[in-house]
């Protein structure tokens, strides 16, 4: 399969587009489509500036409302794209997937579908939308790889590798996501504040003792001692991969932990308790109607503006344990400055934007061209991790034998 259509032109799309350009000889033409075409043009300009484009493939920008399935189908046909990488907002998954099923193009995304009207989706996350189209994908022979960013995505491949090769019959799978970097601003979110805060305002779901358990955000914290970034406090958070991993490994406890500093928690708590994270409009004394969350977003730094000053590292990985006492932590450490130097983005967009390109290469050469809908833990992780080793996201492994490359 050849020719890639990237949907969205945000932080993650910028990385995905650069990496596709670096692999253009294997992927063919690269098309970037977003509501605002100017953002796609800017990405193309930055690809030329960094000299990322290899080979003679075409790079094109398109204006597209990805909620409009016929328009997405028309663009897939017009561009001849056989691989669609959806890194737009989480609201467009189902309309883009429908267009892929209609045209036969392979589909990928990096987050579960969300209904813009809902504050927060509740489990079973994949069951609410994407998995309802599994039969349709199988009937049409459409390859759909769900959640192929870093987390979800690479961490699912880490879980699969850990269970297949190191820790059979797991009793726990813990995903740990630490950003030990600093952007130097008083307060900012790494992604669109609306999406970012939504993730933390709802109930925290985890899979423990064979059932969904609920907690409040910042209720369950734990200090993790991790490679490179050292001791870091992380809090249990709901996340897409908890659902798919719990479905595929129902006997294991599956939890997701995200690192937060006290400062972030303080600011978040004040904003939330004052009602400033609300999506419900309020009227000022002057009769002006405003949505508090939109105002907060307007005064916060644009997440894209953080990249030039971002420094430090991220450490994201999967810890798997079993009843026999075996334990492994498989992880990657990424560097914000290195990401910016290579593709002009901060490290978090980098970790999310590179994996779908590795997957695109595996679809293009047939290795992962399943003709069905899958989550990442259903695929062979090894070719994927081997590719990522050479694409800026090397995998390491820590167990009782020490810390080493995953395949040593
Ligand atoms: P941004 O908010 O920076 O970008 C989203 C892009 O989507 C924008 O360019 C926007 O374009 C575009 N978009 C929104 N609605 C439409 C529409 N109807 N039609 C066409 N384009 C649209 O997000 P990020 O780049 O930070 O994140 C992208 C995705 O990646 C999200 O789903 C996020 O949840 C996911 N993610 C996954 C991670 C992982 O590791 N798995 C980590 C980080 C993010 P415009 O402004 O032109 O409207």
């Amino acid at each position: 399969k050849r020719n890639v259509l990237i949907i969205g032109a945000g932080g993650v799309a910028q990385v995905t587009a650069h990496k596709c350009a670096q692999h253009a000889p294997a992927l063919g033409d690269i098309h970037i489509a977003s509501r605002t075409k100017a953002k796609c043009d800017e990405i193309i300009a930055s690809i030329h500036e960094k000299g990322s484009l290899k080979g003679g493939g075409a790079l094109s920008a398109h204006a597209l409302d990805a909620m409009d399935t016929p328009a997405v189908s028309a663009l897939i046909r017009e561009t001849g794209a056989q691989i669609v990488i959806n890194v737009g907002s989480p609201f467009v998954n189902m309309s883009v997937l429908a267009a892929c099923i209609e045209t036969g193009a392979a589909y990928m995304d990096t987050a579960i579908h969300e209904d813009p009207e809902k504050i927060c989706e509740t489990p079973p996350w994949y069951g609410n939308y994407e998995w309802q189209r599994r039969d349709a994908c199988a009937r049409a022979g459409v390859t759909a790889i769900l959640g192929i960013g870093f987390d979800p995505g690479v961490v699912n491949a880490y879980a699969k590798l850990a269970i297949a090769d190191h820790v059979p019959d797991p009793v726990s799978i813990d995903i740990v996501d630490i950003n030990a970097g600093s952007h130097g601003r008083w307060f900012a979110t790494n992604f669109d504040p609306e999406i970012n805060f939504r993730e933390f305002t709802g109930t925290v779901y985890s899979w423990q003792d064979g059932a969904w358990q609920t907690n409040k955000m910042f209720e369950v914290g734990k200090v993790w001692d991790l490679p490179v970034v050292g001791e870091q406090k992380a809090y249990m958070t709901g996340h897409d991969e908890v659902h798919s991993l719990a479905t595929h490994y129902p006997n294991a406890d599956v939890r997701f932990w995200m690192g937060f500093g006290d400062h972030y928690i303080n600011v978040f708590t004040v904003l939330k308790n004052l009602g400033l994270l609300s999506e419900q409009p309020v009227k000022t004394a002057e009769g002006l109607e405003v949505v508090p969350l939109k105002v907060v977003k307007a005064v916060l730094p644009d997440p894209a503006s953080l990249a030039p000053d971002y420094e430090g590292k991220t450490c994201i990985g999967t810890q798997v344990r079993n009843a026999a006492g075996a334990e492994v932590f498989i992880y990657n450490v990424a560097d914000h400055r290195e990401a910016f130097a290579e593709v002009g983005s901060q490290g978090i967009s980098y970790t999310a934007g590179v994996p779908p390109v590795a997957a695109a290469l595996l679809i293009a050469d047939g290795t992962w061209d399943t003709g069905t809908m899958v989550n990442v833990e259903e695929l062979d992780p090894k070719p994927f991790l081997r590719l990522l080793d050479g694409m800026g996201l090397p995998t390491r492994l820590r167990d009782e034998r020490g810390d080493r490359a995953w395949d040593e």
Side-chain angles (χ1 to χ4, degrees):
K1 285 199 163 80
R2 282 176 72 76
N3 300 337
V4 178
L5 172 61
I6 299 167
I7 308 257
V12 177
Q14 154 108 3
V15 177
T16 300
H18 271 263
K19 279 288 173 189
C20 281
Q22 291 175 11
H23 292 272
L27 294 175
D29 296 339
I30 292 143
H31 299 270
I32 311 170
S34 199
R35 268 182 316 208
T36 320
K37 181 174 168 282
K39 290 188 185 175
C40 308
D41 291 325
E42 276 172 38
I43 292 179
I44 290 177
S46 85
I47 289 173
H48 289 309
E49 192 189 310
K50 298 263 182 201
S52 294
L53 183 63
K54 302 286 179 290
L59 264 179
S60 323
H62 307 266
L64 174 74
D65 177 4
M67 301 277 237
D68 178 353
T69 297
V72 181
S73 296
L75 187 60
I76 291 172
R77 291 195 178 101
E78 180 194 320
T79 56
Q82 292 178 301
I83 300 174
V84 174
I85 304 179
N86 169 24
V87 280
S89 84
F91 309 137
V92 307
N93 285 16
M94 295 315 286
S95 47
V96 176
L97 177 60
C100 288
I101 293 171
E102 203 177 294
T103 57
Y107 171 86
M108 279 181 266
D109 62 34
T110 62
I112 47 161
H113 183 82
E114 285 183 45
D115 180 339
E117 303 299 319
K118 289 191 186 163
I119 298 295
C120 198
E121 297 292 340
T122 54
W125 288 301
Y126 289 106
N128 294 337
Y129 303 100
E130 284 87 351
W131 286 356
Q132 295 183 14
R133 305 310 310 276
R134 263 198 295 217
D135 289 347
C137 282
R139 273 197 305 274
V142 163
T143 297
I145 304 181
L146 304 178
I148 180 87
F150 205 96
D151 45 341
V154 179
V155 296
N156 303 52
Y158 289 170
K160 174 72 177 266
L161 178 76
I163 294 161
D165 284 11
H166 302 274
V167 185
D169 304 318
V171 293
S172 66
I173 302 171
D174 288 283
I175 318 285
V176 190
D177 178 332
I178 301 291
N179 174 17
S182 163
H183 48 57
R185 307 296 173 92
W186 190 78
F187 184 82
T189 58
N190 294 309
F191 297 114
D192 181 344
E194 281 182 77
I195 305 284
N196 198 260
F197 289 135
R198 272 165 80 101
E199 215 173 315
F200 311 131
T201 37
T203 305
V204 168
Y205 291 92
S206 59
W207 180 263
Q208 299 185 87
D209 303 321
W212 288 107
Q213 311 292 341
T214 57
N215 288 95
K216 288 201 198 64
M217 193 61 209
F218 304 124
E219 185 186 335
V220 187
K222 178 177 152 96
V223 175
W224 294 80
D225 189 7
L226 299 176
V228 185
V229 298
E231 286 199 351
Q232 298 281 344
K233 183 131 190 208
Y235 294 85
M236 212 161 73
T237 313
H239 230 237
D240 319 3
E241 58 272 44
V242 175
H243 176 224
S244 69
L245 289 169
T247 304
H248 296 119
Y249 305 105
N251 299 326
D253 289 343
V254 186
R255 293 167 289 241
F256 182 91
W257 304 83
M258 185 168 271
F260 291 95
D262 291 343
H263 178 64
Y264 184 101
I265 297 174
N266 283 339
V267 173
F268 176 88
T269 307
V270 170
L271 289 174
K272 183 165 175 260
N273 289 347
L274 288 177
L276 287 170
L277 299 185
S278 168
E279 290 168 282
Q280 298 306 316
V282 293
K283 241 194 188 124
T284 69
E286 295 75 23
L288 196 67
E289 200 173 86
V290 291
V291 174
L293 179 56
K294 300 266 183 205
V295 176
V296 171
K297 177 175 170 170
V299 297
L300 286 179
D302 173 359
S305 72
L306 305 175
D309 303 319
Y310 228 122
E311 52 186 39
K313 294 183 193 300
T314 64
C315 175
I316 316 177
T318 306
Q319 185 201 66
V320 181
R321 290 177 159 161
N322 70 10
E327 176 182 327
V328 67
F329 182 61
I330 306 183
Y331 68 96
N332 164 263
V333 170
D335 184 280
H336 289 288
R337 282 226 165 119
E338 284 172 18
F340 186 68
E342 185 191 331
V343 300
S345 305
Q346 34 97 334
I348 303 168
S349 300
Y350 190 86
T351 56
V354 174
V357 184
L361 290 166
L362 294 174
I363 292 174
D365 75 8
T367 312
W368 270 14
D369 196 14
T370 55
T372 55
M373 175 182 278
V374 289
N375 290 83
V376 179
E377 63 272 28
E378 295 173 76
L379 297 162
D380 179 0
K382 290 181 182 171
F384 178 55
L385 299 183
R386 257 180 234 121
L387 274 179
L388 288 177
D389 279 346
M391 293 176 76
L393 293 178
T395 298
R396 295 193 60 83
L397 183 152
R398 187 176 74 175
D399 63 5
E400 77 286 350
R401 275 177 53 210
D403 193 308
R404 58 192 187 277
W406 67 278
D407 51 355
E408 258 172 43

